[in-house]
Amino acid sequence: MAASIKPSKKAPKTPEAPAPERMTGADAVVRSLEALGTDIVFGLPGGAVLPLYESLFAAHTLRHVLVRHEQGAGHAATGYAQATGKVGVCIATSGPGATNLVTPLADAYLDSVPILAITGQVGSPLIGTDAFQEADIRGITMPITKHNMMVRSAADIPAAIAGAFHIASTGRPGPVLVDIPKDVQNEELDFSWPPVVDLPGYKPNTKPHSRQIVQAAKLIATSKRPVFYIGGGVIKAGAHEELLALAEETGVPVVTTLMALGAFPQSHPLYMGMPGMHGSVPAVGALQEADLLIAVGTRFDDRVTGDTETFAPLAKTIHADIDPAEVGKIREVDVPIVGDARRVLSQLLDVFKEGKANAPKIGAWIERLNELKERFPRGYDPQSDGSLSPQFVIETLASQVGTDAIYVAGVGQHQMWSAQFLNFDKPRTWLNSGGLGTMGYAIPAALGAKAGCPDKEVWAIDGDGCFQMTNQELTTAAMEGFPFKVALINNGNLGMVRQWQTLFYDGHYSHTKLGGEVYVPDFVKLSEALGAEAIRVTSEDEVIPAIRRAREINDRPVVIEFIVGEDAQVWPMISAGASNSDIQYALNIRPFFEQEESVGTAPEDIDDVVELGSEQEKGN
């Protein structure tokens, strides 16, 4: 006979749940967002979300930011999420409003950013009739969202919003879309919180297997040329402190991908740089010559690996990721670990600190990588025509602003120069579109970052091509009070495309030139018309005064237009699909620490091929 359990007489009474409150589905959306801790949403009203906007009109704690284009709402939500670690929320109406969110949803999906998109839909009786402004946004976004759903009953709204937040922010983060027909927004329900959330089959595995941790520690302890290959998942997991402690405990060098800049202090002696197509020679060399890759929170992206057949050819691989689908997808793995990056690094650290494994003896390896650091410092070739070098602009910006600011980059040459010449010692200080490579990302994402971190200095670094896609959100920033700064790198061209045309298409500049002898558009006048302060800079001696002036203005956004040479290129470079061992490095560079003189001589061909890997078996 089973024993009965009598409750203690001293046990406190369970507080009674508050009585359900009668309200509309639209009110329930707002109340659910407030209950989940949302403080700000980005959106643009339209017919199918008018009930929701009626509820937002009376919201007590929820601030709505009126963007000028729904794409801006999506990127702003992404910038907010990347800067804060919270779920970013955006709202759009049905049809074209919803489809304007496709690009930011795809962007967030590829970069694993937790955002919630709430879209209005035509009334339930009209669905499937090709009604005015009807679009099957669920079907359209199914491949680019972590999850999406249509709410058919107002009573389901609290659970739908709570479930969307949970899915977006747990496991591998990502975008979730909730589509709500207009009649469901008007329908009444008895609202109570918290709702019962039932997500059958959704159980992310965050706890790594202890046996795999031990196997990984053994591989690290016996390796001679190990390297931590760190991806953006480490930042998303909040694992930067554990990474630093483990690297220092083991002495293993670290490289961080484009999405992971700031996950490990760049000022640290164990830091080797960013690998990939425009990575540093020490970082690329570390991967190519390694005998062990300790890959954490990274997906072996093609921009890092190049030719996968020749990527890190002698290295065994430990791959830890929260998403089991990524482990072994691109590269065969010797020790697979599925789990949260913070837990993985913490448990590995415990193994070494408790003496269950010894730090590897890798003095010769560190010496080799430090040699690469000395031989191939970051630098650039000054413009032969005497025009302003974009690298100088970004390098100077870094020296003036420091590492506490949040930097948001668009896509292209300015993005790569920013990754190379800014300094990142802290996580969530570098935001960019890595996976999708979305032009137009920077301005609205900087707006979102400033909204989420109002006490932080936020700089958008954009190109003239990217800027012309989403500059209308400067008006949003001016009207809503988000005074971020913009460093606009204007070379009059689609710069990265022009670089490829220079190198691989015999200089046939097919439709990449944006400017002319006159400034069209005049970015100073355009920025001023949009509500921003604007400054134009054409020479090196104007750079620092302009940056200082911009930092003094805090009541509106500021745009500094830097007129730079059109022939500046991004080096180092690995051609698409080529082996990382064939990294090309410009010889006639000006090192960042030696501004007055160039290093080497200037050959007719500005690049030289550095062969990596030939010394893999020599003395290591």
Side-chain angles (χ1 to χ4, degrees), residues 63-101:
R63 179 180 178 183
H64 178 273
V65 173
L66 176 61
V67 297
R68 268 51 185 176
H69 191 287
E70 290 92 352
Q71 181 183 356
H75 290 317
T78 295
Y80 173 94
Q82 288 178 311
T84 64
K86 302 176 184 178
V87 177
V89 182
C90 56
I91 300 173
T93 191
S94 64
T99 59
N100 280 340
L101 290 177

Side-chain angles (χ1 to χ4, degrees), residues 117-186:
I118 300 172
T119 54
Q121 185 55 272
V122 299
S124 298
L126 296 175
I127 293 175
T129 68
D130 294 331
F132 176 67
Q133 291 195 332
E134 180 188 1
D136 179 11
I137 195 61
R138 282 199 64 213
I140 291 169
T141 62
M142 192 170 292
I144 54 170
T145 52
K146 186 177 178 182
H147 182 62
N148 67 26
M149 68 190 88
M150 178 184 287
V151 182
R152 291 287 192 169
S153 169
D156 296 332
I157 285 176
I161 300 298
F165 259 66
H166 181 69
I167 293 171
S169 59
T170 56
R172 180 178 181 172
V176 176
L177 181 138
V178 177
D179 196 32
I180 311 176
K182 188 173 183 179
D183 58 310
V184 176
Q185 297 172 47
N186 284 320

Side-chain angles (χ1 to χ4, degrees), residues 93-445:
T93 191
S94 64
T99 59
N100 280 340
L101 290 177
V102 168
T103 295
L105 284 170
D107 183 271
Y109 183 73
L110 284 176
D111 286 344
S112 303
V113 181
I115 68 172
L116 168 60
I118 300 172
T119 54
Q121 185 55 272
V122 299
S124 298
L126 296 175
I127 293 175
T129 68
D130 294 331
F132 176 67
Q133 291 195 332
E134 180 188 1
D136 179 11
I137 195 61
R138 282 199 64 213
I140 291 169
T141 62
M142 192 170 292
I144 54 170
T145 52
K146 186 177 178 182
H147 182 62
N148 67 26
M149 68 190 88
M150 178 184 287
V151 182
R152 291 287 192 169
S153 169
D156 296 332
I157 285 176
I161 300 298
F165 259 66
H166 181 69
I167 293 171
S169 59
T170 56
R172 180 178 181 172
V176 176
L177 181 138
V178 177
D179 196 32
I180 311 176
K182 188 173 183 179
D183 58 310
V184 176
Q185 297 172 47
N186 284 320
E187 182 185 333
E188 290 192 342
L189 74 152
D190 291 321
F191 179 88
S192 62
W193 193 270
V196 175
V197 178
D198 184 22
L199 300 171
Y202 182 71
K203 295 180 180 179
N205 180 22
T206 61
K207 184 179 180 181
H209 198 291
S210 59
R211 187 189 308 164
Q212 301 303 90
I213 294 292
V214 171
Q215 290 297 318
K218 286 181 179 179
L219 267 185
I220 295 170
T222 56
S223 62
K224 295 181 179 179
R225 300 184 303 278
V227 60
F228 281 109
Y229 164 29
I230 300 301
V234 168
I235 292 178
K236 292 173 176 63
H240 53 284
E241 292 181 354
E242 287 77 8
L243 172 62
L244 175 61
L246 181 58
E248 291 182 337
E249 183 71 24
T250 59
V252 174
V254 177
V255 303
T256 56
T257 66
L258 178 69
M259 296 305 297
L261 295 177
F264 191 82
Q266 294 191 359
S267 56
H268 198 286
L270 287 174
Y271 185 67
M272 297 298 143
M274 178 185 76
M277 177 174 282
H278 294 293
S280 71
V281 172
V284 173
L287 294 178
Q288 288 302 94
E289 298 185 4
D291 67 356
L292 177 65
L293 300 183
I294 311 160
V296 184
T298 187
R299 58 189 177 90
F300 288 84
D301 179 75
D302 63 286
R303 282 301 192 260
V304 171
T305 65
D307 178 10
T308 55
E309 295 296 321
T310 60
F311 175 70
L314 299 181
K316 292 184 176 181
T317 302
I318 300 166
H319 190 183
D321 202 281
I322 191 73
D323 185 353
E326 289 295 346
V327 180
K329 184 177 80 173
I330 303 297
R331 183 182 176 93
E332 186 175 341
V333 178
D334 297 279
V335 181
I337 305 176
V338 176
D340 176 76
R342 190 171 185 177
R343 286 193 173 193
V344 170
L345 294 172
S346 178
Q347 291 184 24
L348 277 172
L349 177 62
D350 288 343
V351 172
F352 285 97
K353 291 188 76 171
E354 292 168 5
K356 297 177 183 177
N358 297 319
K361 298 178 181 179
I362 53 174
W365 174 231
I366 297 298
E367 185 177 340
R368 161 64 175 161
L369 296 180
N370 285 336
E371 175 195 351
L372 288 178
K373 275 187 176 181
E374 293 178 7
R375 288 179 58 198
F376 303 103
R378 66 180 185 180
Y380 55 92
D381 186 11
Q383 295 294 283
S384 59
D385 61 0
S387 58
L388 185 60
S389 294
Q391 301 97 321
F392 174 84
V393 170
I394 295 170
E395 183 179 72
T396 305
L397 180 66
S399 68
Q400 292 293 304
V401 176
T403 59
D404 287 331
I406 296 174
Y407 298 95
V408 187
V411 170
Q413 287 182 315
H414 63 278
Q415 176 191 26
M416 294 297 103
W417 288 320
S418 297
Q420 292 174 341
F421 290 96
L422 295 174
N423 302 305
F424 303 101
D425 280 348
K426 302 171 185 177
R428 301 194 183 279
T429 56
W430 165 247
L431 315 182
N432 78 124
S433 171
L436 194 64
T438 306
M439 292 180 68
Y441 164 90
I443 300 301

Side-chain angles (χ1 to χ4, degrees), residues 595-616:
Q595 296 292 332
E596 299 303 321
E597 57 186 66
S598 296
V599 174
T601 58
E604 288 186 11
D605 187 356
I606 64 172
D607 59 85
D608 183 45
V609 176
V610 178
E611 294 291 344
L612 297 173
S614 58
E615 297 182 76
Q616 287 170 339

Side-chain angles (χ1 to χ4, degrees), residues 277-278 499-500 503-504 570-575 582-584:
M277 177 174 282
H278 294 293
Q499 176 166 334
W500 281 51
L503 298 175
F504 309 120
V570 184
W571 298 100
M573 181 175 178
I574 301 166
S575 301
D582 296 330
I583 185 170
Q584 295 176 303

